[in-house]
């Protein structure tokens, strides 16, 4: 993690990444110095002893989050309960311009078929040049397109399941082996691409998900062991919250592409229209880091 904190922000000067870690602890509650030293050294965490009873404590924490996310996540804490002794907060801000921007003159009106059976009007961005694509033929067939940012070290990969497949089934089938096949198998293709502009905001409590993934003890008041954070009191995780903001539109850096056309007999490329629930990944190629993963099911 220490390597990633250095490598990711410096990977591409055309992509802005701000990663912040912080520990906020009640000023009357003792925290082990070894723990604070480790999070400061390894995660470059900012550590603050704070009067949790102060009326300004919530604003202080939220202001830090807002600053780190350029105002996109203005709040993370609504109130500090009496039994809270510390907050560990991670914030990530990402802003990347497409290597080849979408032409706003080619954006058209379209419909997005929501997961609940309704449709929503959307603005469909379009690209008709070479776009890296991959067709997965596993238990849940899908098509993937890869759109690079900046100098191409960062990219957004969009995965669209076949019309008779569910995006949730695709997520369940997507393991590290399939992701490796996808990234290795991406090839330039001339199929026209239609991608909706979208902005998504999401807030979720991760307690149940983390318990299901194998760490229920951490949330158990009687069984959790965080004595290396503090030897005073029986610490446990009371709540893990996650908030996300992602916005995608036509903007990007100016670039040029050349296509050599050889006349032959072939089929007309089939357009790829992202007009139903899909999965997206924002990733860094050299480290394999997934900065953001998300699914869009309704617009």
């Amino acid at each position: 993690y220490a390597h990633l904190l250095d490598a990711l922000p410096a990977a591409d000067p055309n992509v802005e990444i701000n990663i912040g870690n912080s520990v906020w602890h009640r000023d009357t509650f003792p925290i082990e110095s070894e723990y604070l030293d480790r999070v400061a050294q390894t995660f470059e965490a900012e550590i603050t002893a704070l009067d949790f009873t102060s009326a300004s404590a919530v604003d202080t924490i939220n202001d830090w989050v807002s600053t780190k996310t350029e105002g996109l996540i203005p709040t993370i804490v609504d109130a500090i309960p009496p039994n809270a002794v510390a907050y560990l907060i991670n914030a990530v801000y990402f802003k990347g311009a497409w290597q080849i921007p979408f032409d706003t003159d080619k954006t058209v009106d379209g419909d997005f078929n929501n997961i609940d059976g309704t449709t929503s009007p959307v603005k469909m961005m379009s690209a008709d040049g070479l776009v890296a694509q991959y067709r997965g033929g596993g238990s849940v067939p899908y098509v993937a397109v890869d759109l690079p940012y900046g100098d191409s070290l960062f990219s957004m990969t969009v995965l669209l399941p076949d019309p008779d497949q569910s995006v949730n089934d695709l997520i369940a089938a997507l393991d590290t082996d399939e992701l490796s096949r996808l990234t290795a198998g991406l090839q330039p293709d001339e199929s026209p691409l239609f991608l909706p502009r979208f902005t998504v905001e999401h807030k979720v409590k991760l307690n149940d998900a983390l318990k299901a993934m194998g760490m229920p003890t951490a949330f158990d008041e009687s069984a959790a062991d965080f004595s290396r954070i503090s030897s005073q009191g029986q610490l446990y995780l009371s709540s893990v919250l996650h908030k996300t903001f992602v916005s995608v539109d036509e903007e990007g850096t100016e670039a040029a592409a050349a296509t050599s056309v050889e006349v032959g007999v072939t089929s007309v490329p089939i357009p790829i229209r992202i007009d139903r629930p899909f999965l997206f990944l924002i990733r860094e190629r050299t480290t394999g880091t997934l900065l953001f993963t998300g699914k869009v099911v309704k617009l």
Side-chain angles (χ1 to χ4, degrees):
Y1 285 108
H3 168 69
L4 290 177
L5 288 171
D6 290 333
L8 292 176
D12 185 345
N14 298 307
V15 171
E16 183 180 353
I17 297 180
N18 188 2
I19 303 173
N21 291 305
S22 63
V23 177
W24 310 81
H25 64 92
R26 190 181 293 272
D27 57 0
T28 57
F29 190 86
I31 303 292
E32 299 294 327
S33 59
E34 182 182 359
Y35 168 75
L36 295 177
D37 290 343
R38 289 196 176 198
V39 294
Q41 293 169 8
T42 304
F43 296 99
E44 300 179 7
E46 302 175 35
I47 299 168
T48 304
L50 196 61
D51 179 3
F52 280 6
T53 64
S54 170
S56 63
V58 169
D59 289 341
T60 299
I61 296 173
N62 287 334
D63 287 347
W64 181 89
V65 173
S66 181
T67 298
K68 291 296 183 182
T69 61
E70 299 292 333
L72 296 181
I73 308 292
T75 62
I76 192 70
V77 177
D78 295 324
I80 300 177
N83 66 333
V85 295
Y87 288 93
L88 282 64
I89 297 179
N90 166 257
V92 179
Y93 172 78
F94 174 91
K95 184 177 182 180
W98 301 122
Q99 187 179 65
I100 302 176
F102 290 89
D103 186 344
T104 55
D105 291 338
K106 294 182 178 180
T107 297
V108 297
D109 294 328
D111 290 320
F112 188 85
N113 300 291
N114 300 313
I115 200 168
D116 60 6
T118 62
T119 60
S120 298
V122 295
K123 293 294 185 180
M124 280 285 186
M125 307 181 296
S126 65
D128 53 11
L130 291 175
V131 177
Q133 299 177 18
Y134 173 79
R135 293 191 177 272
S139 60
V140 183
Y142 67 94
V143 61
V145 296
D146 194 65
L147 302 169
Y149 298 101
D151 64 7
S152 81
L153 289 182
F154 293 90
S155 69
M156 171 177 280
T157 307
V158 177
L159 291 76
L160 180 71
D162 283 3
D164 58 344
Q165 302 291 329
S166 161
V167 68
N168 292 324
D169 290 340
L170 173 59
I171 292 171
L174 187 66
D175 55 18
T176 53
D177 290 338
E178 179 59 26
L179 186 58
S180 296
R181 285 190 289 269
L182 187 167
T183 54
L186 287 165
Q187 296 292 331
D189 192 281
E190 292 184 345
S191 298
L193 170 67
F194 293 88
L195 177 69
R197 289 183 200 157
F198 67 91
T199 298
V200 293
E201 295 183 67
H202 187 56
K203 179 180 180 180
V204 60
K205 190 172 183 177
L206 294 176
N207 294 30
D208 291 341
L210 293 172
K211 290 176 185 177
M213 291 172 68
M215 52 181 291
T217 306
F219 296 88
D220 188 330
E221 295 182 48
S222 60
D225 181 4
F226 289 104
S227 56
R228 294 176 68 184
I229 296 179
S230 177
S231 59
Q232 302 295 314
Q234 183 67 42
L235 300 185
Y236 70 101
L237 300 186
S238 56
S239 181
V240 178
L241 297 176
H242 178 73
K243 296 182 78 171
T244 305
F245 178 98
V246 176
S247 180
V248 172
D249 60 20
E250 294 93 342
E251 292 184 4
T253 55
E254 185 176 2
T259 302
S260 175
V261 179
E262 180 176 329
V263 178
V265 179
T266 184
S267 60
V268 177
I270 299 174
I272 298 175
R273 187 176 292 273
I274 314 296
D275 62 358
R276 57 185 183 274
F278 63 92
L279 172 68
F280 70 88
L281 317 171
I282 297 179
R283 60 190 183 91
E284 199 279 325
R285 300 183 182 194
T286 59
T287 63
T289 302
L290 296 180
L291 286 168
F292 295 87
T293 66
K295 66 175 179 179
V296 177
V297 299
K298 186 174 183 178
L299 290 176

